[in-house]
Amino acid sequence: MNVEHLLVLAEPSSPSVSALRRLAPGLRLTVGLTVEQLAPAIEQAQVLLLGVQKKEVLRALLPRARSLRWIHALSAGVENLLFEELIHSPLPLTNAKGAYSGSLGEFALAAMLFFAKDLRRLVRQQREARWEQFSPVELRGQTLGILGYGDIGRAVAERARPFGMRILACRRQPSRSAGDTLVDELFPLERKHEMIAASDYLLLALPHTSGTHRLMGAPELGAMKPGAVLINIGRGSTVDEQALVKALEEGRLRGAALDVFETEPLPPEHAFWRLDNVLLSPHCADQTPTWREDAVALFLKNLERFEKGEPLLNVVDKAAGY
């Protein structure tokens, strides 16, 4: 079965749509941001591609999409798309998991090196023309704890292992990582404090769900080693930011590297901006020159599987939220 016509919820002039036209010139596209714009193809379309997360448009569109058999999101996170009718629908929802893992893995490694080598100090001393030697730290022999050991967490482990780091991993279903040769020790979520306390660098790569909201709160931050570093490349909602600010201001942690925040853009009055022990990235660690093409290429790979009747990749557990 060939899919010749694709329904795309996106801005028609968006780079993602341009990438789709370039990578799959044979596909006919009906593109828009409203039900009215998509109306000509709603009833016939078998596949819906989501380039933006517009839950209310999707909710209005779904009852009219009688031929729809599959929905794919160009994002990895889908929590802002889910609503009761979709969750209980038999329609499969897939996402772009994996398309952004490599770049996020590199950011996490850069963050660890930033603090291990005290790069902020080097820049400051160079600016001040000040020759002052100090002792940088190696990553070799340090412990990396990964809270949320999914595709992104594993990508970080792949990059940290060659540096000689010890890898600890914690996830809701540890059995899914049983036998993983990158992991020195695997923890269930109930033992997260044990892993947190053993980590020199703690990576958060958690999705946003009701169960992960502020999962990294004051007790968890208090369990971290003095001088440890927190890195968050998952969702800002998983961290109690005020508790983190307090831990950083009091010097209980060496620092934090953050690519995601509870409120984005980060308000200009937020304490993170002024803390010298924070490395702040404006939620763009995965926005490499090819990130859109990579996400579209993954969708087209899945489209080929759909056309052949093969199992789809990256099927979302809609009830779990990821």
Side-chain angles (χ1 to χ4, degrees):
M1 175 195 61
N2 288 329
V3 175
E4 297 178 351
H5 201 133
L6 187 65
L7 197 64
V8 185
L9 180 59
E11 167 59 53
S13 62
S14 70
S16 296
V17 172
S18 300
L20 182 59
R21 294 188 190 281
R22 186 169 62 255
L23 294 175
L27 274 177
R28 289 172 53 221
L29 309 179
T30 296
V31 186
L33 290 172
T34 67
V35 172
E36 291 71 27
Q37 290 172 327
L38 298 172
I42 286 178
E43 295 197 3
Q44 295 77 34
Q46 292 183 308
V47 180
L48 171 62
L49 179 63
L50 303 175
V52 294
Q53 299 201 358
K54 286 187 169 288
K55 182 191 298 186
E56 293 311 312
V57 176
L58 182 57
R59 189 194 293 268
L61 181 154
L62 205 57
R64 297 177 54 182
R66 298 181 179 88
S67 301
L68 197 62
R69 293 179 55 199
W70 168 39
I71 302 173
H72 180 86
L74 286 177
S75 59
V78 296
E79 64 271 11
N80 294 323
L81 288 170
L82 296 172
F83 51 92
E84 286 300 311
E85 299 93 322
L86 178 58
I87 291 171
H88 297 299
S89 162
L91 279 171
L93 171 66
T94 58
N95 65 0
K97 182 181 73 173
Y100 314 113
S101 300
S103 53
L104 289 172
E106 289 187 4
F107 175 82
L109 190 62
M112 288 187 280
L113 288 168
F114 176 88
F115 286 101
K117 307 306 177 186
D118 208 347
L119 298 186
R120 193 188 298 279
R121 175 175 179 164
L122 290 179
V123 171
R124 184 173 62 247
Q125 289 185 184
Q126 180 176 339
R127 184 175 58 245
E128 297 170 358
R130 179 160 51 91
W131 182 273
E132 184 177 287
Q133 294 183 331
F134 63 97
S135 297
V137 179
E138 284 188 88
L139 293 183
R140 178 173 58 92
Q142 298 280 288
T143 297
L144 168 64
I146 302 175
L147 188 51
Y149 191 71
D151 197 75
I152 293 171
R154 194 173 196 281
V156 177
E158 284 179 331
R159 287 154 179 77
R161 174 62 82 182
F163 280 78
M165 299 190 78
R166 177 171 174 250
I167 310 294
L168 309 180
C170 178
R171 64 183 304 170
R172 188 169 62 89
Q173 296 177 288
S175 60
R176 298 180 65 175
S177 297
D180 190 322
T181 56
L182 292 172
V183 178
D184 291 289
E185 191 171 356
L186 194 59
F187 295 80
L189 205 53
E190 304 79 58
R191 293 175 58 203
K192 64 180 182 295
H193 282 85
E194 185 180 340
M195 187 198 76
I196 289 170
S199 301
D200 299 296
Y201 296 88
L202 180 64
L203 176 81
L204 305 183
L206 295 158
H208 170 74
T209 69
S210 58
T212 64
H213 183 70
R214 295 197 175 178
L215 184 67
M216 196 69 194
E220 289 74 24
L221 290 164
M224 292 180 70
K225 285 183 179 182
V229 172
L230 178 72
I231 303 167
N232 191 7
I233 54 175
R235 288 290 180 266
S237 61
T238 62
V239 176
D240 182 336
E241 290 188 347
Q242 292 311 306
L244 177 56
V245 167
K246 190 171 187 292
L248 291 166
E249 287 179 334
E250 292 176 355
R252 290 189 280 116
L253 302 181
R254 180 167 188 180
L258 308 170
D259 182 53
V260 289
F261 307 88
E262 283 192 296
T263 301
E264 296 182 5
L266 188 68
E269 67 275 9
H270 201 291
F272 285 152
W273 290 110
R274 59 175 173 77
L275 287 171
D276 284 341
N277 51 357
V278 170
L279 177 63
L280 190 155
S281 166
H283 203 161
C284 64
D286 57 0
Q287 294 182 20
T288 63
T290 63
W291 70 285
R292 294 184 180 89
E293 286 81 358
D294 294 341
V296 169
L298 190 150
F299 162 69
L300 293 174
K301 181 179 179 181
N302 236 358
L303 181 61
E304 185 178 343
R305 296 176 71 89
F306 177 80
E307 292 178 328
K308 292 178 179 178
E310 297 176 355
L312 295 171
L313 304 171
N314 292 358
V315 176
V316 171
D317 181 341
K318 292 181 287 185
Y322 58 93

